[in-house]
Amino acid sequence: MTPLPDRFCPVDGTRVPAGSLAWRCPACGGPLDLDFSPTPANLKSLSGRVNSLWRYAECLPLAAPTVTLGEGRTPLVELREGVFAKLDFLTPTLSFKDRGAVLLTELALRLGPRQVIADSSGNAGTAVAAYCARAALPCTVYVPTGTPAGKLEQIGAHGARVEVVDGDREAAAATAREAADTPDTFYASHVFNPYFLHGTKTHVYEIWEDLGGRLPDVLVLPVGNGTLLLGAALAIGELHAAGLIGRRPALYAVQSAAVAPLADAWAAGADDLTGTAPAAPTSAEGIAIPRPARARQILRAVRATGGTFLTVTDDRIRHAQRDLASQGLYVEPTGAAAWAAVREGALGERTAVVPLCGAGLRTGLARG
């Protein structure tokens, strides 16, 4: 079995050994990155490989998967000329979070903890619960009050214990992080654990492959904790360093206007969050994150590609969700946010891909 890479803190450089169950930097308490610089395979060598995200084995920090459910290789469908949708709601648990959850679960199997815990507004918890079920690992998922009933039902159906926390998404995360410090516990955090990002990056490898070895001018991504965007930045960097793309696409980060701390920091020209951003209820609960732990990395990644931040109101999200449904694509409000940002022509003549990252079956149409 290939040795696991070490983790390190991007802020102060503190290193964490590969076999440790530590989930954050022991010095500053921040998220960790992975000491891993892969060289991706060229297009020709991908022919005949397994039809899942594991076809990009050279670029993944884990090999020989045992809990795979065939995740990845989702379709790319044109919404209008030059703008494509990546249908990541067509995954085993109906969201892009499967890409990261499978790597977290594979890592947990190798580390052998007594229990796995996660926190989520629904999709990440569902994905972790499903893959832990596949791996026969005991799992507890902490969710905030108001999590859609369909998501709670699916998490429980996979055999995970559901703990509903009295409070918002941040309260659920705080409760989970306290539990994560219990001995012999693996915290399957899609925010703090870098393995998750190396799973989400595969959606960009798939776009690159399906477009014949190129990427669009712009990748438009919904951003709360930024795991999809940061994964995209990893893949872009790896492909560019290997000479497999000649230019880097711009990253456009989309936030709900109701909860937009990163967009506010961007508008202020800041390198980090500028304070406690005002927050209001939003149908896009998956990106309603007031204090994303990787804020500095997200802002840096967008800036490095010449990208920008966009915000969308719930009214625009609702119209975008219904527009997608009229085209045969039924996604949750969070999944419609990126399309809401570009459907009225914000991209001009540039080509783009937007991810439709969660199915609408468990949340229904946005109201208003």
mmCIF file of all heavy atoms in Angstrom, residues 25 57 74 110 146 154 160 199 202 241 299 309 319 333 348 361 363-364:
data_model
loop_
_atom_site.group_PDB
_atom_site.id
_atom_site.type_symbol
_atom_site.label_atom_id
_atom_site.label_comp_id
_atom_site.label_asym_id
_atom_site.label_seq_id
_atom_site.Cartn_x
_atom_site.Cartn_y
_atom_site.Cartn_z
ATOM 1 N N CYS A 25 -4.338 22.093 12.874
ATOM 2 C CA CYS A 25 -2.970 22.441 13.245
ATOM 3 C C CYS A 25 -2.865 22.527 14.770
ATOM 4 O O CYS A 25 -3.636 23.263 15.402
ATOM 5 C CB CYS A 25 -2.582 23.781 12.617
ATOM 6 S SG CYS A 25 -0.986 24.416 13.181
ATOM 7 N N ALA A 57 -5.793 8.071 -10.827
ATOM 8 C CA ALA A 57 -5.107 7.508 -9.660
ATOM 9 C C ALA A 57 -3.809 8.235 -9.332
ATOM 10 O O ALA A 57 -3.463 8.403 -8.163
ATOM 11 C CB ALA A 57 -4.830 6.025 -9.895
ATOM 12 N N THR A 74 -19.376 12.246 -13.948
ATOM 13 C CA THR A 74 -20.727 12.763 -14.171
ATOM 14 C C THR A 74 -20.797 13.511 -15.498
ATOM 15 O O THR A 74 -19.786 14.026 -15.988
ATOM 16 C CB THR A 74 -21.139 13.692 -13.021
ATOM 17 O OG1 THR A 74 -20.159 14.732 -12.876
ATOM 18 C CG2 THR A 74 -21.243 12.921 -11.712
ATOM 19 N N ARG A 110 -7.801 3.243 6.858
ATOM 20 C CA ARG A 110 -6.370 3.006 7.038
ATOM 21 C C ARG A 110 -5.893 3.386 8.437
ATOM 22 O O ARG A 110 -4.972 2.780 8.970
ATOM 23 C CB ARG A 110 -5.581 3.764 5.976
ATOM 24 C CG ARG A 110 -5.663 3.114 4.578
ATOM 25 C CD ARG A 110 -5.402 4.122 3.475
ATOM 26 N NE ARG A 110 -5.297 3.504 2.165
ATOM 27 C CZ ARG A 110 -6.327 3.069 1.446
ATOM 28 N NH1 ARG A 110 -7.553 3.139 1.934
ATOM 29 N NH2 ARG A 110 -6.134 2.540 0.240
ATOM 30 N N GLY A 146 -33.283 22.669 11.423
ATOM 31 C CA GLY A 146 -33.793 23.106 10.128
ATOM 32 C C GLY A 146 -33.228 22.355 8.949
ATOM 33 O O GLY A 146 -33.571 22.659 7.798
ATOM 34 N N GLN A 154 -32.096 10.291 4.881
ATOM 35 C CA GLN A 154 -31.079 9.534 4.164
ATOM 36 C C GLN A 154 -29.870 9.238 5.062
ATOM 37 O O GLN A 154 -29.325 8.137 5.043
ATOM 38 C CB GLN A 154 -30.631 10.278 2.912
ATOM 39 C CG GLN A 154 -29.716 9.441 2.020
ATOM 40 C CD GLN A 154 -29.351 10.139 0.726
ATOM 41 O OE1 GLN A 154 -29.750 11.263 0.491
ATOM 42 N NE2 GLN A 154 -28.590 9.459 -0.110
ATOM 43 N N ALA A 160 -26.123 5.865 10.202
ATOM 44 C CA ALA A 160 -25.402 6.828 11.030
ATOM 45 C C ALA A 160 -26.318 7.349 12.139
ATOM 46 O O ALA A 160 -27.541 7.417 11.981
ATOM 47 C CB ALA A 160 -24.904 7.993 10.190
ATOM 48 N N GLY A 199 -10.361 15.008 -3.317
ATOM 49 C CA GLY A 199 -11.475 14.315 -3.955
ATOM 50 C C GLY A 199 -12.278 15.250 -4.839
ATOM 51 O O GLY A 199 -12.604 14.916 -5.986
ATOM 52 N N THR A 202 -11.334 16.247 -8.594
ATOM 53 C CA THR A 202 -11.522 15.359 -9.743
ATOM 54 C C THR A 202 -12.600 15.852 -10.690
ATOM 55 O O THR A 202 -12.621 15.460 -11.854
ATOM 56 C CB THR A 202 -11.834 13.928 -9.284
ATOM 57 O OG1 THR A 202 -13.011 13.938 -8.442
ATOM 58 C CG2 THR A 202 -10.662 13.330 -8.515
ATOM 59 N N ALA A 241 1.026 22.718 -14.181
ATOM 60 C CA ALA A 241 2.413 22.365 -13.880
ATOM 61 C C ALA A 241 2.899 21.211 -14.751
ATOM 62 O O ALA A 241 4.087 21.145 -15.105
ATOM 63 C CB ALA A 241 2.548 21.995 -12.406
ATOM 64 N N LEU A 299 -9.814 33.286 -1.055
ATOM 65 C CA LEU A 299 -9.567 34.604 -1.647
ATOM 66 C C LEU A 299 -8.305 34.600 -2.491
ATOM 67 O O LEU A 299 -8.266 35.167 -3.595
ATOM 68 C CB LEU A 299 -9.465 35.652 -0.538
ATOM 69 C CG LEU A 299 -10.773 35.968 0.193
ATOM 70 C CD1 LEU A 299 -10.500 36.652 1.524
ATOM 71 C CD2 LEU A 299 -11.679 36.838 -0.681
ATOM 72 N N PHE A 309 -15.712 37.536 -7.365
ATOM 73 C CA PHE A 309 -16.840 37.053 -6.575
ATOM 74 C C PHE A 309 -18.128 37.651 -7.112
ATOM 75 O O PHE A 309 -18.174 38.821 -7.505
ATOM 76 C CB PHE A 309 -16.673 37.442 -5.096
ATOM 77 C CG PHE A 309 -15.792 36.500 -4.326
ATOM 78 C CD1 PHE A 309 -14.414 36.601 -4.415
ATOM 79 C CD2 PHE A 309 -16.341 35.505 -3.536
ATOM 80 C CE1 PHE A 309 -13.592 35.728 -3.723
ATOM 81 C CE2 PHE A 309 -15.532 34.627 -2.835
ATOM 82 C CZ PHE A 309 -14.154 34.738 -2.921
ATOM 83 N N HIS A 319 -35.439 31.627 -9.499
ATOM 84 C CA HIS A 319 -35.699 31.639 -10.941
ATOM 85 C C HIS A 319 -34.736 30.710 -11.683
ATOM 86 O O HIS A 319 -35.122 30.026 -12.635
ATOM 87 C CB HIS A 319 -35.603 33.067 -11.480
ATOM 88 C CG HIS A 319 -36.762 33.935 -11.103
ATOM 89 N ND1 HIS A 319 -38.058 33.662 -11.484
ATOM 90 C CD2 HIS A 319 -36.828 35.073 -10.358
ATOM 91 C CE1 HIS A 319 -38.875 34.585 -11.015
ATOM 92 N NE2 HIS A 319 -38.154 35.458 -10.317
ATOM 93 N N PRO A 333 -31.549 24.484 -4.298
ATOM 94 C CA PRO A 333 -31.217 25.903 -4.474
ATOM 95 C C PRO A 333 -29.719 26.191 -4.482
ATOM 96 O O PRO A 333 -29.244 26.969 -5.319
ATOM 97 C CB PRO A 333 -31.919 26.566 -3.276
ATOM 98 C CG PRO A 333 -33.092 25.690 -3.005
ATOM 99 C CD PRO A 333 -32.616 24.292 -3.273
ATOM 100 N N GLY A 348 -20.398 37.289 -20.779
ATOM 101 C CA GLY A 348 -20.101 37.789 -22.121
ATOM 102 C C GLY A 348 -19.935 36.628 -23.094
ATOM 103 O O GLY A 348 -20.753 35.709 -23.140
ATOM 104 N N LEU A 361 -34.354 16.682 -4.986
ATOM 105 C CA LEU A 361 -35.354 15.769 -4.442
ATOM 106 C C LEU A 361 -35.526 15.908 -2.934
ATOM 107 O O LEU A 361 -36.609 15.691 -2.415
ATOM 108 C CB LEU A 361 -34.954 14.324 -4.765
ATOM 109 C CG LEU A 361 -34.928 13.958 -6.250
ATOM 110 C CD1 LEU A 361 -34.377 12.553 -6.438
ATOM 111 C CD2 LEU A 361 -36.335 14.057 -6.855
ATOM 112 N N THR A 363 -34.880 18.683 -1.073
ATOM 113 C CA THR A 363 -35.142 20.046 -0.588
ATOM 114 C C THR A 363 -36.334 20.703 -1.270
ATOM 115 O O THR A 363 -36.951 21.599 -0.699
ATOM 116 C CB THR A 363 -33.909 20.944 -0.809
ATOM 117 O OG1 THR A 363 -33.550 20.927 -2.197
ATOM 118 C CG2 THR A 363 -32.726 20.463 0.006
ATOM 119 N N GLY A 364 -36.628 20.292 -2.491
ATOM 120 C CA GLY A 364 -37.710 20.921 -3.235
ATOM 121 C C GLY A 364 -37.321 22.255 -3.823
ATOM 122 O O GLY A 364 -36.159 22.675 -3.758
#
